[in-house]
Amino acid sequence: MVPTSLSLKALSRGMLDVLIRAGLIVVLVLFCFEIFRPFRDLMLWSVILAITLYPLQERLMGPLGQKEGRAATVIVLVAIAILMVPIYLLGVSIADSVESAMAAVKSEGIQIPPPSDAVAQWPLIGKPLSALWLQASTDLPGLTAKYIPQIKDVSLGLLGKLAGVGMGFLMFIIALIIAGIFMAYGKAGSNAAVRIASRISGPDKGPQIATLCTATIRAVALGVVGIAFIQMLLVGLGFVFKGVPGAGLLALAVLLLGIMQLPATLITVPVIAYVLATEGANTTTIIFSVFVFVAGLVDNVLKPLLLGRGVDVPMPVVLIGALGGMVTSGILGLFIGPVVLAVGYQLFWQWVEDRPPVEDEY
């Protein structure tokens, strides 16, 4: 009995040591996560950008003397210069809209035409909507004073969203700079990723999983975010050259719709109808309408080329990732969400299909 009791004591002492070590490791991991959490989205987006842009860097390394740092610097500078265009247009559009609204209020006020008799005939909402509309056309100050708390909440929420968009663009540029640093050490980073995947999944499956994650990130980043950005540039340039009111905000809406996998025609068709209704059908408006309509459909041509290169990611996965990322992390999460969820989707199905062989019972 004595040896048995000694072995039980040794076993319990060994288990206690293991539990203490595991507890210390958990505490250390949680502490490290709390420190890293404010930078999580920024670093994720930086890694995604670095993986997506690295093939372009490999092409530029030949003309630039096989210097990874030099090629990464050129890519970052050119990308920032391109990003300045939509940021400038968005800022100018917001400033012009606010200035026009303030000028209208100070000078002659906002004139709202009375509703037509057909509005009251609408089912369910016709009569209350008609009464509210009529009061707005006859006594707008009184109506504003009645709903001032709601108007204040909506205004503050809108200003907060606009500030979030501006901060999102700033974080985007910072992430691009960090991605350039990652690309400057691209080969070392690639080797580290393979080593980590091999340590988690084994030396046989590690390189395969690393390749799958890389292909998924590039396909979704180019096929979703890249196409949406190209679409925003084309449509936004058309809006700016035509002088459409709020061109920057409308271009941003096209970007958001593109990432959420919704058709850009939800924006372009009403704008085309507005331009034709206000300016009539002439050569300029017809050219503008055709260009903007075609630019709104460019994703139908580019998606099969960029999104379907050996990576099968269903569109609902991308949509859920975009919406979930926007809810959890704001404008930056709108870019990160589809990529991260697509990677998780691919890894899950890789795990499902990679079943161990069934051993023969006989």
Side-chain angles (χ1 to χ4, degrees):
M1 296 297 294
V2 176
T4 304
S5 61
L6 291 177
S7 62
L8 288 176
K9 287 183 179 180
L11 179 62
S12 62
R13 188 172 299 173
M15 290 185 61
L16 182 61
D17 291 342
V18 171
L19 290 176
I20 292 175
R21 292 174 184 175
L24 292 175
I25 292 174
V26 170
V27 171
L28 179 61
V29 170
L30 292 177
F31 191 67
C32 292
F33 178 75
E34 287 295 323
I35 296 174
F36 181 74
R37 186 170 60 176
F39 308 97
R40 180 195 60 187
D41 294 340
L42 180 64
M43 299 305 293
L44 271 177
W45 187 234
S46 300
V47 172
I48 291 171
L49 286 174
I51 294 174
T52 304
L53 296 175
Y54 191 70
L56 177 61
Q57 174 177 315
E58 290 181 328
R59 294 183 180 181
L60 291 177
M61 283 174 58
L64 295 177
Q66 300 296 326
K67 299 291 186 179
E68 286 189 330
R70 189 179 301 173
T73 302
V74 172
I75 293 174
V76 169
L77 293 178
V78 173
I80 291 177
I82 295 174
L83 280 175
M84 287 295 106
V85 175
I87 293 175
Y88 172 77
L89 294 178
L90 178 62
V92 170
S93 175
I94 294 175
D96 291 343
S97 301
V98 172
E99 185 178 356
S100 301
M102 293 179 62
V105 172
K106 289 181 180 179
S107 60
E108 55 188 22
I110 301 175
Q111 301 296 329
I112 299 178
S116 61
D117 297 335
V119 176
Q121 304 300 323
W122 292 357
L124 299 178
I125 63 171
K127 291 183 179 180
L129 179 61
S130 178
L132 186 65
W133 193 341
L134 182 61
Q135 184 180 1
S137 63
T138 56
D139 186 19
L140 184 59
L143 181 63
T144 303
K146 181 179 179 181
Y147 293 100
I148 193 66
Q150 292 84 348
I151 295 175
K152 181 179 179 181
D153 293 339
V154 172
S155 301
L156 292 177
L158 181 60
L159 290 176
K161 294 297 183 183
L162 291 177
V165 170
M167 182 59 66
F169 276 115
L170 178 61
M171 296 293 288
F172 196 101
I173 293 177
I174 296 175
L176 189 59
I177 296 174
I178 298 175
I181 298 174
F182 288 160
M183 289 189 295
Y185 301 93
K187 293 182 180 179
S190 177
N191 294 332
V194 173
R195 290 172 59 191
I196 293 173
S198 300
R199 184 66 180 86
I200 296 174
S201 303
D204 297 332
K205 300 177 183 178
Q208 180 183 358
I209 290 179
T211 302
L212 177 64
C213 293
T214 301
T216 304
I217 290 173
R218 287 174 181 167
V220 177
L222 289 174
V224 176
V225 180
I227 290 176
F229 188 77
I230 293 173
Q231 203 169 31
M232 179 200 70
L233 285 180
L234 294 176
V235 175
L237 288 175
F239 289 169
V240 169
F241 286 134
K242 192 66 187 70
V244 175
L249 293 176
L250 292 174
L252 179 63
V254 171
L255 174 65
L256 300 182
L257 289 178
I259 295 176
M260 292 187 292
Q261 301 302 294
L262 297 176
T265 50
L266 295 175
I267 300 295
T268 58
V269 170
V271 171
I272 291 172
Y274 167 80
V275 171
L276 292 176
T278 55
E279 301 185 15
N282 52 54
T283 304
T284 304
T285 56
I286 290 175
I287 294 175
F288 165 79
S289 301
V290 173
F291 172 78
V292 169
F293 185 76
V294 173
L297 299 176
V298 72
D299 58 328
N300 296 318
V301 178
L302 295 179
K303 278 180 183 177
L305 298 177
L306 298 179
L307 188 59
R309 292 184 173 179
V311 177
D312 184 16
V313 180
M315 285 300 105
V317 174
V318 177
L319 175 60
I320 294 173
L323 295 177
M326 183 173 60
V327 171
T328 56
S329 303
I331 188 68
L332 197 60
L334 186 66
F335 300 99
I336 299 173
V339 181
V340 174
L341 195 61
V343 171
Y345 174 85
Q346 290 288 344
L347 290 178
F348 172 75
W349 280 108
Q350 179 74 14
W351 173 77
V352 170
E353 295 174 357
D354 189 18
R355 293 176 295 181
V358 179
E359 296 183 358
D360 194 353
E361 297 180 357
Y362 300 101

